[in-house]
Amino acid sequence: MPIPASQPLPPSADSAEDRTGEAVIDRLVEANQRYAADFTDPGMDARPVRKVAVVSCMDARIDLHAALGLELGDCHTIRNAGGVVTDDIIRSLTISQRALGTRSVVLIHHTGCGLLSLTEDFRHDLAAEVGQRPTWAVEAFKDLDEDVRQSMQRVRTSPFLLHTDDVRGFVFDVKTGLLREIVPEV
């Protein structure tokens, strides 16, 4: 069932503290202070060691580094709602490839994605609520595999990207942690 733009998600157990966002952000800043106290410059370059960019959904259940066996500095991680290849993803991939040397692209969607239950009505409801039409599309989808294929095609046909031959797409299962590769249409 689609979630209307004005309908908040169900509150979490400690939502009273987090409703304004202030308490949770304060905790993040405090955690950063502890992190920085023991931080030493790893001496890394901004260029990913493995020359790969990973595009994935922003879903909080996906720990990309752990799921893919990556370490700090191995890849560029680019995330958005759905892991959909949008103009901004192409922008980030173009910078990743042309300025920072990546050559491979991994695209990851996942089971249980919120975009499976949204439609463009979300965008229209939002426009009605706030009085301004969003400049972006929701990019919702009904078929995970088909949307991964579409995202692979968008990367492979972008005139801005230098390296479009090593592009692979997957669906991450949030219940098992396994990736399932999606074969592109030929």
Side-chain angles (χ1 to χ4, degrees):
M1 171 175 205
I3 300 169
S6 61
Q7 180 183 343
L9 294 174
S12 64
D14 62 347
S15 64
E17 239 182 300
D18 298 341
R19 232 173 248 160
T20 65
E22 214 170 63
V24 70
I25 294 172
D26 288 343
R27 287 195 298 272
L28 297 175
V29 172
E30 289 167 9
N32 173 258
Q33 295 298 314
R34 291 188 300 277
Y35 171 79
D38 296 325
F39 184 80
T40 55
D41 179 0
M44 294 179 181
D45 189 287
R47 296 171 183 268
V49 172
R50 295 195 185 187
K51 297 182 187 310
V52 63
V54 179
V55 177
S56 181
C57 185
M58 64 188 189
D59 192 295
R61 298 172 289 181
I62 305 170
D63 182 347
L64 284 174
H65 278 78
L68 300 175
L70 296 167
E71 299 292 329
L72 184 66
D74 281 350
C75 72
H76 281 159
T77 304
I78 307 164
R79 296 178 85 152
N80 70 8
V84 178
V85 175
T86 60
D87 286 346
D88 196 55
I89 295 294
I90 294 294
R91 171 189 165 270
S92 294
L93 287 172
T94 301
I95 293 166
S96 178
Q97 287 189 359
R98 290 181 175 264
L100 297 165
T102 60
R103 301 182 63 84
S104 300
V105 179
V106 175
L107 304 170
I108 301 176
H109 283 32
H110 68 92
T111 58
C113 184
L115 286 188
L116 286 164
S117 62
L118 288 179
T119 66
E120 282 301 311
D121 287 342
F122 179 86
R123 186 172 175 261
H124 300 298
D125 293 346
L126 185 60
E129 180 184 328
V130 303
Q132 182 177 339
R133 187 175 42 220
T135 58
W136 39 264
V138 174
E139 294 276 356
F141 46 85
K142 297 289 180 200
D143 183 320
L144 281 170
D145 294 16
E146 189 54 40
D147 202 70
V148 172
R149 284 187 192 96
Q150 177 177 293
S151 289
M152 284 191 282
Q153 187 64 17
R154 285 178 177 173
V155 170
R156 288 191 171 123
T157 60
S158 173
F160 306 109
L161 299 175
L162 296 172
H163 307 289
T164 58
D165 54 327
D166 192 13
V167 178
R168 292 173 64 186
F170 301 86
V171 172
F172 176 84
D173 188 314
V174 297
K175 302 259 188 240
T176 67
L178 290 172
L179 290 175
R180 177 173 55 81
E181 187 158 9
I182 303 303
V183 178
E185 291 178 351
V186 180

